[in-house]
Amino acid sequence: MTTPQAPSTIFIVDDDEAVRDSLRWLLEANGYRVRSFSGAEEFLNAYEPDQVGVLIADVRMPGMSGLELQEELIARRAPLPIVFITGHGDVPMAVSTMKKGAVDFLEKPFNETDLRTIVARMLDQATQRVSQAQAHKNHQAVLSRLTAREQQVLERIVAGRLNKQIAGDLNISIKTVEAHRANIMEKLEVTTVADLMKIALTKAEGVI
């Protein structure tokens, strides 16, 4: 197993202090950086979405539950894989939660080897998610350089419209469309329509 490099962090959220301490000891013994929290609200107050990490959360906690915490992270579009730990083998709940983006389940008492394997795999996914989120943010910043008219022209280029059709759509001349097209390529620092499409489609689809 490859030990993760900082600033990768394993976040533990569990109201049971003994479980938190046990998980921390096991993970730190394997070279992981760990932060633990006694509740979901405490974790949310400390979490920054650009942090690379994995969340290990108890399903049933006082206050905000692990499932409610998952819903909040989804709402925030947080690129954070989740591993739920539970003493309740609720299969329907596990299936429903997995469909919403949770990564895996660990039943108490959990197996140390399983824990290490899941965390290592999820950290790889976390790194990819954060990289994708950053790329999306960069694309958004690049697209913000375009004027409103250039945005309209770009949308039609992506839709496969020809210059003549774009001119008709926007009631402008073909030469004006060509000028806008050249400005778009220059501002987005691309030389081919294929590269232009990649940036535009990233905006349209999002990454998380």
Side-chain angles (χ1 to χ4, degrees), residues 90-130:
D90 190 330
V91 175
M93 177 189 66
V95 172
S96 173
T97 304
M98 293 282 281
K99 288 180 179 178
K100 294 179 182 177
V103 178
D104 218 324
F105 268 78
L106 280 172
E107 283 195 77
K108 301 174 186 177
F110 39 79
N111 179 281
E112 180 180 348
T113 300
D114 290 343
L115 175 65
R116 290 199 310 264
T117 300
I118 290 172
V119 166
R121 186 175 73 248
M122 292 308 99
L123 270 178
D124 287 340
Q125 289 194 14
T127 301
Q128 294 173 13
R129 286 187 177 195
V130 170

Side-chain angles (χ1 to χ4, degrees), residues 70-206:
Q70 181 195 27
E71 294 288 351
E72 178 61 26
L73 290 171
I74 290 172
R76 296 186 183 190
R77 299 177 64 84
L80 188 67
I82 304 173
V83 178
F84 283 110
I85 51 175
T86 178
H88 311 272
D90 190 330
V91 175
M93 177 189 66
V95 172
S96 173
T97 304
M98 293 282 281
K99 288 180 179 178
K100 294 179 182 177
V103 178
D104 218 324
F105 268 78
L106 280 172
E107 283 195 77
K108 301 174 186 177
F110 39 79
N111 179 281
E112 180 180 348
T113 300
D114 290 343
L115 175 65
R116 290 199 310 264
T117 300
I118 290 172
V119 166
R121 186 175 73 248
M122 292 308 99
L123 270 178
D124 287 340
Q125 289 194 14
T127 301
Q128 294 173 13
R129 286 187 177 195
V130 170
S131 295
Q132 290 172 344
Q134 186 59 51
H136 181 64
K137 187 182 297 183
N138 292 343
H139 285 151
Q140 292 289 82
V142 168
L143 287 167
S144 69
R145 301 173 189 169
L146 303 182
T147 66
R149 178 63 87 187
E150 288 166 351
Q151 290 274 7
Q152 292 175 330
V153 172
L154 176 59
E155 288 170 3
R156 285 160 176 79
I157 292 173
V158 172
R161 304 286 283 172
L162 302 176
N163 285 356
K164 181 178 180 179
Q165 294 171 317
I166 295 173
D169 291 342
L170 302 177
N171 196 28
I172 56 179
S173 70
I174 294 177
K175 286 187 177 181
T176 301
V177 173
E178 291 171 347
H180 283 315
R181 190 172 187 135
N183 287 339
I184 292 169
M185 302 284 278
E186 182 179 354
K187 287 182 178 180
L188 301 189
E189 300 177 354
V190 296
T191 57
T192 68
V193 174
D195 289 336
L196 186 65
M197 296 282 281
K198 286 179 185 178
I199 293 176
L201 290 174
T202 298
K203 175 191 177 185
E205 295 172 1

Side-chain angles (χ1 to χ4, degrees), residues 24-75:
R24 175 185 283 275
W25 182 83
L26 288 173
L27 292 166
E28 288 183 341
N30 284 276
Y32 291 100
R33 178 187 178 201
V34 181
R35 293 185 65 186
S36 60
F37 304 88
S38 60
E41 295 88 347
E42 181 187 1
F43 164 74
L44 287 171
N45 288 335
Y47 174 65
E48 296 293 337
D50 60 348
Q51 292 176 280
V52 178
V54 171
L55 171 61
I56 301 177
D58 194 5
V59 170
R60 303 173 188 268
M61 296 182 288
M64 180 182 286
S65 70
L67 301 182
E68 291 170 334
L69 173 57
Q70 181 195 27
E71 294 288 351
E72 178 61 26
L73 290 171
I74 290 172

